[in-house]
Structure formats: C-alpha cells, structure tokens
Amino acid sequence: MGIAFPFAAIVGQDEMKLALMIAAVDPKVGGVLAFGDRGAGKSTAVRALAALLPPMSAVVGCPYQCDPADAAAQCAECRARSKPSGRSTTGTGTWCALSAAGFFALPLGATEDRVVGALDLERALAHGEKSFEPGLLARANRGFLYIDEVNLLEDHLVDLLLDVAASGENVVERDGLSIRHPARLVLVGTGNPEEGELRPQLLDRFGLSVEVKTPADLPTRIEVIKRRDAFETDPAAFVAHWEKEEAKQRKRILAAREHIASVKVADRELENAARLCMALGTDGLRGELTLMRAARAAAALDGAKAVDDGHLKTVAPMALRHRLRRNPLDDSGSSVRVERALNELFATCATAPRSGPMR
C-alpha cells in the first residue's frame, strides 16, 4: 500500500475522522459511507486509518486471519486445530502471531469470483482436487474493505457486500463447493454524489454516513496544501514528524476497544434516541441501534463511563442523515433536518428532565 498519509495530520474533516474511528472501535456499527467533493481527502483518510490501526493476533496459516482468542468467530479448521485433544493450544509459538490490520480495496471491475472466492481451477486441473480459492472477503476478515466510487459499483455486488458485512459470514455454494467462512469486516465506501446516488435500501445498510466538503476558510485550505506538499516531498520525514500524534491516536483506539464494554447507556439516552428517530420518521429500528452503538463508541473514545447527551448529539447526524425519507414539503437538507430535530428534542428534555437506570 506504500506510505500512508498520517491520520493525525489530516486537517479538518473531523466528522469523517470520528466516524472512521468509531467504526474501528466497534465494527458492529456497520461501516462508513463518505460522500462528497472530489479531492477532499476521503480516500486519504480511509487509508490513513488502516495504517494507524495496531497489529492484531491471528492464527498462523489461516486464510481468514481468525482470532485465536475468539473460538466462536473462528472458521471450522481453526476450531478443530484449537482443541486437537480437548484442550486449547492458544499461546503456543505455532498457533498465533501478530498480523497487520487488513486493508483491501475493491476495484470497480471486480468479478463476483474475486470478491467471494471460487474453485481453484489450477489445482483442480493439475491434481483433480476441489479446493477453495479465497476471495477479497476472506482476506479482509477482521479488517477493512474499501470501495471507492461505491455508487458506481454493480448493484448485485453491493447487495452481496452489505449482506456479508451485516452477517459477518460469507457463504459460497457454487462449482460443487460448499464453503462457509467468517467475514467480519468494516465496509467503507466513498463517492461523489454528482456521479450517481446509492439506492435508499443500500444507504440504510451503512451504519454511518458523512458529508465531506472542501474546506471553505482560507487558513484551513493553506494548511492542507502545506501538509500535502511536505508529505509528497519527503514522505518518511513527514511520517516521522507525526509519529507521536499517531501513537496517541492508536493508543486512544486501543483504550476505547478495551473500555467500550463497560460504557453504560441510561434509559434516558435510549429514550432520546428513540424520540429522535420517531421525530425524523426513520424506518425500522436500525437507526436507534446504530445511534446507540455509535454514541457508546464515541463515549469510549472520550474515556467516559457513560453515554451523555453530548455523545448523542455528536453522532446523530452521521447515524441518521442517510435514513430520512424525502419530504416534498421540506426542501431542507438531511443534515439540517437532523440538527433541527436535535434542537427540538433537547429543548423539550431541558424542561422535562428524566432519569433511568444504566444499561
């Protein structure tokens, strides 16, 4: 992948950076969709986060990079290996090793075979054996699958990817093969809305959606140009200069991953989330679930013990703006509608405080 631009050195684009960090802390949030202007740093931010993430332990020789500490999420082969005689071999030198967090980009012209995997024709012809050749979904397990120009990807591939991202499993039934393997990945899509929009049902399947705009103030634009030029002039020196800040961000993500299970969500915040989704008319309950998970991850990144109103306000636009129905009587943008609903909700809450037990 080459030397990536440091995540900590990205100027502005705070919402996109936060959304990516939330997805890195809790993959169950459902991935990130970043739509916006060309040349505004969407791809740079995604690749920068992948380089920022700490290495992970993985089973040696496993094509799916299974987690040695999570037997329930392992493939069948790793589960069989982990208890050859009724006891786990986790911790032995041959069982696990550190592996870089996976980051794979999906080309627009990729075939379904390349994505999900297929019969290994070379082995079948040479040895007469049916063998599975893993695809991108296998290699991206426990990592990131990045789709640039996601709005131009063929619909059947987008459907397939979103289903796998939601279930965490890839099932291949073709060419005489019957394969089931883990595919827990963070799906990240970027695109320019001028080149086409995603179908509403596909938008809803992404956990978070961010709007990426070209900086409008002069100092920010100048700083972006200076940092990009410095990076391209001497990438190694630029990365070394930002290493301390990168280490702080990496430590923050690791601490949030450890801390998130203990972050409490009060009934009051769950009620606020539900009231907000009802006011905006979102379909189903995916909006509330994503809002709660994103707020909890944001609280974990802050080192907070519980989700508060501030966390809910911060993540609500990215969790809900892409779930709104079109209102022919309201030509306001989705972000404006979410902000307006937030203001009305918390104005009401201020006059009628509620409390509830922690979850």
Side-chain angles (χ1 to χ4, degrees):
M1 187 172 63
I3 299 178
F5 191 90
F7 190 81
I10 296 174
V11 182
Q13 309 301 5
D14 293 337
E15 186 183 58
M16 177 169 60
K17 291 165 64 177
L18 177 59
L20 291 171
M21 291 183 72
I22 286 173
V25 170
D26 185 4
K28 293 193 296 294
V29 166
V32 179
L33 178 66
F35 258 32
D37 301 337
R38 287 186 292 269
K42 301 185 295 295
S43 299
T44 297
V46 176
R47 297 179 188 278
L49 179 70
L52 172 70
L53 294 179
M56 59 187 183
S57 59
V59 175
V60 173
C62 176
Y64 316 118
Q65 297 192 103
C66 284
D67 185 353
D70 188 0
Q74 291 174 2
C75 64
E77 290 79 5
C78 288
R79 287 198 299 270
R81 286 177 58 198
S82 65
K83 296 184 179 180
S85 57
R87 64 178 185 277
S88 173
T89 58
T90 301
T92 65
T94 59
W95 172 247
C96 66
L98 290 179
S99 172
F103 176 85
F104 297 90
L106 178 66
L108 279 178
T111 63
E112 188 170 335
D113 284 354
R114 183 175 180 185
V115 175
V116 303
L119 178 69
D120 187 337
L121 291 177
E122 183 177 346
R123 189 166 180 177
L125 294 173
H127 305 286
E129 300 176 357
K130 284 185 178 180
S131 178
F132 178 63
E133 183 177 0
L136 280 172
L137 292 177
R139 295 195 289 274
N141 183 39
R142 302 177 63 209
F144 287 76
L145 186 62
Y146 171 53
I147 312 169
D148 194 14
E149 306 295 350
V150 63
N151 45 330
L152 302 182
L153 197 66
E154 294 184 20
D155 286 345
H156 75 282
L157 284 181
V158 178
D159 288 336
L160 185 154
L161 290 171
L162 292 175
D163 285 342
V164 169
S167 67
E169 190 174 59
N170 180 35
V171 180
V172 182
E173 298 282 354
R174 60 194 307 175
D175 301 326
L177 294 172
S178 181
I179 303 293
R180 184 184 298 266
H181 69 77
R184 290 176 170 81
L185 50 89
V186 177
L187 194 62
V188 180
T190 61
N192 182 353
E194 294 179 358
E195 298 172 353
E197 297 182 354
L198 283 177
R199 301 195 313 268
Q201 59 268 40
L202 299 185
L203 277 172
D204 184 62
R205 295 296 293 276
F206 278 95
L208 306 176
S209 174
V210 296
E211 295 177 345
V212 184
K213 298 180 180 179
T214 303
D217 61 293
L218 185 61
T220 299
R221 294 174 78 105
I222 292 174
E223 188 62 25
V224 170
I225 295 170
K226 289 171 64 176
R227 292 189 187 184
R228 189 70 206 187
D229 182 60
F231 172 73
E232 294 179 355
T233 301
D234 191 343
F238 188 83
V239 170
H241 176 75
W242 284 93
E243 182 51 41
K244 286 186 178 180
E245 290 300 319
E246 287 284 276
K248 289 180 182 178
Q249 297 283 20
R250 188 176 297 114
K251 184 177 179 181
R252 186 184 177 197
I253 291 174
L254 279 172
R257 287 178 174 178
E258 294 291 330
H259 177 55
I260 191 169
S262 63
V263 174
K264 305 297 183 182
V265 184
D267 282 353
R268 178 181 186 276
E269 300 305 336
L270 292 178
E271 184 177 335
N272 283 339
R275 285 179 179 273
L276 181 60
C277 291
M278 290 172 66
L280 290 168
T282 60
D283 292 327
L285 297 175
R286 192 173 286 131
E288 283 96 326
L289 285 170
T290 303
L291 190 53
M292 179 195 69
R293 289 168 177 164
R296 187 162 52 199
L301 284 166
D302 286 346
K305 295 181 179 179
V307 171
D308 60 27
D309 291 351
H311 299 125
L312 210 60
K313 292 177 182 178
T314 298
V315 302
M318 65 179 78
L320 300 177
R321 64 162 58 96
H322 57 305
R323 306 180 193 278
L324 306 189
R325 299 176 184 174
R326 294 185 184 276
N327 186 348
L329 302 179
D330 187 352
D331 59 358
S332 302
S334 57
S335 296
V336 173
R337 291 170 61 190
V338 174
E339 292 293 343
R340 188 166 58 206
L342 279 169
N343 292 334
E344 292 174 356
L345 171 66
F346 287 103
T348 302
C349 291
T351 59
R354 300 178 302 278
S355 61
M358 296 290 186
R359 295 296 183 189

